[in-house]
Amino acid sequence: MNPLLDIHPEVAQALQRGAAVVALESTIIAHGMPWPQNVETALAVEAEVRAHGAVPATIAVIDGRLKAGLDRPAIEAFGRAGPSLPKASRRDLPLLLARGQSGATTVAATMIIAALAGIRVFATGGIGGVHRGAGTSFDISADLQELARTPVAVVCAGAKAILDLPLTLEYLETHGVPVIGWRTDRLPAFYTRDSGLPLVQRADDVAEIAASMRVQWGLGYPGGLVVANPIPAEFEMPRDVITQAIAGALAEADAQGISGKAITPFLLDRVATLTGGDSLASNIQLVLNNARLAAGLAVAYVAQPIA
Ligand code: PSU
Ligand code: MN
């Protein structure tokens, strides 16, 4: 085991006996939602994973240690600290660890730590992607490169329409990352079920996805995959409301010159405010929905014969 990694005893036991484990990220807690909904959601997501037969492992960096599995006080402390914690992606981990500091892990950093711990399934809200205007800003989330290099299945509600979704799909295709629609032929757009973009891969049964993961890694592919799970219809946002909020948030970011790692948290916060908090309620429901599917996938994965 990596000497920088602490696996929570319950998670370690589950991994040892070949039981299902689901990784969860901590940037969504510290930077993706306001307190106290962030803590309530993180705890509810863990409970949802358990209710569906898997052990949750919330992932973070605490005092220079990689953590796979947090107890309740640690989750509460993370949620209260919120944006005062650094947002940690792949490039941030080495110096943070060397200095003995703490950080909230993005999808990319969570995948790295999950893979080190031997966890193959991860649930989140939405992945980072190619930003609108990336042709000049070059802003492409490190999440996409991580999906190309680290063997973890990421269950998400697609990506937010704050991003350039067609280019995000192109990038994933170029890097050979499978994007499997869960009971859908279209890429979900986080708050809405359908971005209008066709997906070429679809699965209706978790055993199929689990088998595909075994084959992918059996072939020696280095990377992961995206399982794109649409938000339940009853929690979808009206398309015009969310489109307007996103346009407003993007215009504000542009006017204020927000860029780099600050842009995603800025846009998430502004969209939530501009929708009067409605988008937060949708956000919470889609994360719970992803936790359920990820638990089912983790159960199916450990039941699969090794390819
Ligand atoms: N998208 C969301 N909610 C989030 C994030 C993305 O809808 O909380 C977070 C995730 O942690 C993701 C990160 O990995 O933002 C991407 O940030 P960046 O674009 O700076 O790589
Ligand atoms: Mn970026």
Side-chain angles (χ1 to χ4, degrees), residues 130-140 164 167 254 258-260:
V130 178
H131 282 260
R132 299 194 196 183
T136 47
S137 69
F138 274 38
D139 191 347
I140 299 174
D164 188 320
L167 291 193
D254 198 40
I258 312 276
S259 67

Side-chain angles (χ1 to χ4, degrees), residues 21-100:
V21 177
V22 172
L24 301 163
E25 62 152 309
S26 48
T27 287
I28 193 174
I29 305 175
H31 296 273
M33 288 185 192
W35 186 83
Q37 286 94 342
N38 57 357
V39 171
E40 289 161 16
T41 304
L43 296 173
V45 166
E46 287 215 340
E48 200 70 13
V49 168
R50 285 185 200 286
H52 291 81
V55 172
T58 298
I59 287 182
V61 177
I62 299 181
D63 299 334
R65 305 283 306 164
L66 303 170
K67 300 284 184 184
L70 299 186
D71 51 23
R72 189 186 171 122
I75 290 176
E76 282 172 356
F78 246 72
R80 278 186 181 276
S84 72
L85 286 160
K87 174 179 158 188
S89 192
R90 168 177 277 269
R91 58 136 186 222
D92 306 294
L93 291 181
L95 191 57
L96 210 56
L97 292 166
R99 287 183 169 152

Side-chain angles (χ1 to χ4, degrees), residues 105-288:
T105 52
T106 63
V107 167
T110 302
M111 289 177 73
I112 293 169
I113 299 167
L116 283 174
I119 303 170
R120 297 298 200 171
V121 179
F122 163 22
T124 186
I127 55 169
V130 178
H131 282 260
R132 299 194 196 183
T136 47
S137 69
F138 274 38
D139 191 347
I140 299 174
S141 174
D143 292 354
L144 299 185
Q145 270 299 310
E146 208 58 55
L147 280 158
R149 72 205 296 180
T150 300
V152 174
V154 180
V155 180
C156 63
K160 277 203 178 75
I162 58 172
L163 300 169
D164 188 320
L165 298 180
L167 291 193
T168 300
L169 278 183
E170 290 294 346
Y171 192 97
L172 289 168
E173 180 186 354
T174 299
H175 290 278
V177 178
V179 179
I180 302 178
W182 173 248
R183 298 183 176 167
T184 181
D185 300 300
R186 310 279 202 108
L187 180 71
F190 200 85
Y191 297 119
T192 52
R193 291 178 57 80
D194 183 1
S195 66
L197 298 170
L199 291 179
V200 293
Q201 295 164 305
R202 169 195 175 122
D204 293 80
D205 179 348
V206 282
E208 267 183 332
I209 304 175
S212 181
M213 288 159 64
R214 291 280 184 202
V215 170
Q216 183 175 340
W217 297 325
L219 287 170
Y221 282 22
L225 62 151
V226 175
V227 179
N229 183 27
I231 185 172
E234 62 267 41
F235 302 116
E236 222 180 351
M237 297 277 298
R239 194 174 309 260
D240 51 328
V241 171
I242 200 67
T243 304
Q244 262 189 32
I246 287 171
L250 286 166
E252 288 179 31
D254 198 40
Q256 296 179 38
I258 312 276
S259 67
K261 71 197 275 187
I263 188 119
T264 298
F266 177 88
L267 293 172
L268 300 183
D269 176 65
R270 292 309 299 155
V271 168
T273 304
L274 292 169
T275 58
D278 286 358
S279 68
L280 182 58
S282 293
N283 200 343
I284 292 168
Q285 290 302 325
L286 69 85
V287 178
L288 289 169

